[in-house]
Amino acid sequence: MILEKKNSWKNSKITGHIGALITVICWGCSFIASKVLMEGGGMTPVEVYVYRFTLAYLMMLALTFGEIRSKSWKDELQMALCGICSGTLYFLMENYALIYTTTGNVSLLSAISPIFIAILLAVIYKTRMKRGEIIGSVIAFLGVALVIMSEPISKGLGMEIHPIGDILAISCALSWAVYSIAIKRLIPVYNTFFLTRKLFFYGLITSLPLLFIQKEPLHLNVLVDFSHPAYLLNLLFLAVMCSSMAYLLWNESMKIIGPLATNNYLYIQPPVTMVVGCLILGETIYPCGYVGCVLVLCGLIVADKVKKQ
């Protein structure tokens, strides 16, 4: 009876929603931690990614060292695709997009991945979005737009269009959508710890060459400078909370409530970053930002509660 209750709780939809919520809160805070390492510690985006996921991979390896190979080469190739799309491609396109376009454009355009996921689900698995999911997604996306554009709107400025950077940001969202669909078949078959470790492995081996060819020197010294422990603590936060724990919870949530419902929580990420930026960095929250946060929450509630086709 106790075992049945434990399994029931583990597989309940509430658990899936809580796991997705905790994950996006961590990811929303990750922008601040990455900013500290890059601006204060001088690290390049590639360095932050490689150091972060190396530590995360070693933690996953320690927990799953008894299981090395997948059940087939087809599964292994699919895991490689997931690792590249959710790691190397996603982070590289996001970082390069920031060079060619504004932060607001990147945040907004990368937030459309749930829309791509719905399209891919319809094409590959012949599923249809429920009316509530469509309405909720639109409301949540409008909320994200208000959060990101709150400062330009408050100052009477418009949204700038930068084709190269904006296309990279959209490609970033598409890459995450491909990962979310590709992992759908693997989630019921493999242990979440093993699957997450595989994602980290393939993300790492495809990004290491970029670290070796970069012209900037490595900044490992700042991590062992205990007179300034903030850099090491921020990296540990990224590795433990935003990588190991977050990807485990995210993959488990997709197993329980599905890829579309889980990825709708990505709409919460910009509001979380806005609030954390205000609390830690002293950034200003404009009135449109508060309205956007309310719309995001309303959109998620509508998507989950309105079940009509």
Side-chain angles (χ1 to χ4, degrees):
M1 180 66 72
I2 295 176
L3 182 60
E4 288 179 2
K5 287 183 177 179
K6 285 183 178 179
N7 290 332
S8 176
W9 166 250
K10 181 179 178 181
N11 296 312
S12 71
K13 287 190 174 182
I14 294 176
T15 308
H17 287 295
I18 291 174
L21 179 60
I22 293 173
T23 300
V24 294
I25 290 174
C26 289
W27 285 344
C29 297
S30 69
F31 290 102
I32 308 299
S34 297
K35 189 173 182 178
V36 170
L37 291 170
M38 288 189 288
E39 293 187 358
M43 293 185 184
T44 64
V46 175
E47 271 190 281
V48 174
Y49 171 74
V50 170
Y51 299 160
R52 165 184 173 177
F53 280 90
T54 296
L55 289 177
Y57 173 72
L58 292 174
M59 283 186 279
M60 289 295 100
L61 185 62
L63 294 171
T64 60
F65 62 89
E67 191 175 3
I68 302 299
R69 291 182 295 182
S70 58
K71 300 179 186 300
S72 68
W73 280 109
K74 180 182 178 182
D75 289 355
E76 195 72 29
L77 290 173
Q78 200 157 345
M79 289 177 190
L81 174 66
C82 292
I84 293 169
C85 287
S86 67
T88 308
L89 279 181
Y90 180 85
F91 283 97
L92 281 179
M93 287 191 290
E94 182 181 69
N95 290 330
Y96 279 106
L98 289 169
I99 296 174
Y100 295 105
T101 188
T102 64
T103 303
N105 285 24
V106 175
S107 300
L108 181 60
L109 294 172
S110 63
I112 66 175
S113 58
I115 297 173
F116 282 132
I117 291 170
I119 294 171
L120 290 175
L121 282 172
V123 172
I124 298 173
Y125 291 99
K126 310 300 180 184
T127 61
R128 285 181 56 194
M129 284 186 74
K130 296 182 175 68
R131 182 181 301 174
E133 291 173 336
I134 296 172
I135 297 172
S137 293
V138 171
I139 294 173
F141 184 74
L142 290 175
V144 170
L146 277 179
V147 168
I148 293 168
M149 300 300 294
S150 59
E151 183 176 359
I153 291 172
S154 300
K155 294 181 177 179
L157 303 174
M159 182 177 180
E160 299 178 6
I161 297 176
H162 304 276
I164 296 176
D166 294 343
I167 290 173
L168 283 171
I170 294 172
S171 301
C172 178
L174 180 59
S175 175
W176 187 264
V178 171
Y179 147 69
S180 300
I181 299 302
I183 204 170
K184 178 179 170 63
R185 186 184 67 82
L186 300 173
I187 284 176
V189 180
Y190 293 94
N191 177 278
T192 306
F193 283 84
F194 172 76
L195 197 54
T196 303
R197 192 198 80 204
K198 283 288 187 179
L199 301 188
F200 292 165
F201 172 74
Y202 285 111
L204 271 176
I205 63 172
T206 52
S207 61
L208 278 174
L210 301 172
L211 181 66
F212 296 142
I213 65 174
Q214 73 171 19
K215 296 180 180 179
E216 295 84 353
L218 302 182
H219 297 82
L220 286 168
N221 58 303
V222 302
L223 299 176
V224 293
D225 182 5
F226 297 109
S227 61
H228 297 89
Y231 302 123
L232 179 59
L233 291 174
N234 276 280
L235 181 65
L236 289 174
F237 171 72
L238 288 172
V240 178
M241 301 298 292
C242 302
S243 297
S244 296
M245 187 196 75
Y247 274 81
L248 283 171
L249 288 176
W250 194 254
N251 290 332
E252 194 67 28
S253 293
M254 285 201 288
K255 180 187 295 186
I256 297 171
I257 62 177
L260 185 57
T262 302
N263 279 276
N264 276 339
Y265 276 90
L266 290 174
Y267 292 129
I268 294 180
Q269 192 170 302
V272 169
T273 303
M274 179 186 70
V275 172
V276 174
C278 175
L279 295 175
I280 296 179
L281 302 178
E283 297 176 349
T284 303
I285 299 180
Y286 296 89
C288 286
Y290 293 108
V291 176
C293 289
V294 173
L295 284 177
V296 168
L297 293 175
C298 289
L300 291 175
I301 292 171
V302 169
D304 184 56
K305 298 299 181 183
V306 180
K307 301 298 184 183
K308 290 183 179 180
Q309 295 292 327

